[in-house]
Amino acid sequence: MALAARTDPRAPFCRLPANRNPLVQYRRAAAAAGVTCEADRGRYIGHTLGGAEIYEIGCDGLAGGWVLWSPGEAIFKSCLIVEVEGGTCTLTRATERLATAAQLLRGSAVETCAPVEALFMGASAGIQHYEVRCRAGEHVVARLPREGGAPDIIPCEAATLIGGGCRFTP
């Protein structure tokens, strides 16, 4: 996959038939990391200092993310998190980010929200917080419980101590 990512036509390339479709390998890496979306795009990014390879996975209709893969371990980070941490996701469209934000709100008091902006605010003890601004005017923080299920919804006015408070201007 690293060779396929090179743009120099003089660079070595993969000749084995099994390596000619890197999407198969991206899908394997995504599955190993527990990605539940349909991976439809991928690209090799590089590797960490510890030797883990980094791949960006694009998803059909939802936000993709980065897979950090090393033998025996694969970790997925959503693009909503990657971008806040200073990384770049080039395979996730804005509409896919917003569809993921809408999915995060399922089962909550604002599940009919049509997100226009969404931002990862941080995590602690396995609980994640996302700021979401909805088309109808709701401006909330979704607290995703560690064990899954519907998120707790906190009005932005009451969330000043979470991740530095809400950043979007209503």
Side-chain angles (χ1 to χ4, degrees):
M1 288 188 285
L3 291 175
R6 294 185 177 177
T7 57
D8 183 351
R10 297 169 297 178
F13 62 94
C14 295
R15 293 176 190 232
L16 297 174
N19 293 332
R20 289 196 181 133
N21 184 1
L23 184 57
V24 171
Q25 301 302 325
Y26 292 124
R27 285 181 173 160
R28 282 188 189 144
V35 175
T36 58
C37 70
E38 175 65 34
D40 62 353
R41 303 173 297 284
R43 73 179 178 106
Y44 176 80
I45 295 174
H47 62 276
T48 66
L49 292 176
E53 294 193 351
I54 307 169
Y55 308 114
E56 180 180 357
I57 304 298
C59 291
D60 183 23
L62 295 171
W66 286 10
V67 173
L68 283 70
W69 183 86
S70 55
E73 181 178 42
I75 299 167
F76 178 74
K77 279 189 176 186
S78 167
C79 283
L80 294 173
I81 297 172
V82 167
E83 291 171 342
V84 168
E85 292 179 345
T88 302
C89 286
T90 61
L91 302 178
T92 294
R93 299 170 187 96
T95 56
E96 292 170 328
R97 284 179 185 81
L98 296 178
T100 298
Q103 190 177 57
L104 295 174
L105 299 174
R106 282 192 188 149
S108 75
V110 293
E111 74 177 330
T112 60
C113 164
V116 293
E117 293 181 293
L119 177 72
F120 175 71
M121 298 175 74
S124 62
I127 297 171
Q128 295 182 336
H129 295 89
Y130 292 85
E131 177 183 357
V132 180
R133 191 171 66 82
C134 305
R135 187 176 326 273
E138 300 99 333
H139 190 192
V140 299
V141 172
R143 180 189 325 233
L144 301 178
R146 194 177 17 242
E147 59 280 343
D152 295 324
I153 301 299
I154 305 162
C156 273
E157 302 79 39
T160 57
L161 298 178
I162 299 172
C166 291
R167 293 184 173 90
F168 299 137
T169 303

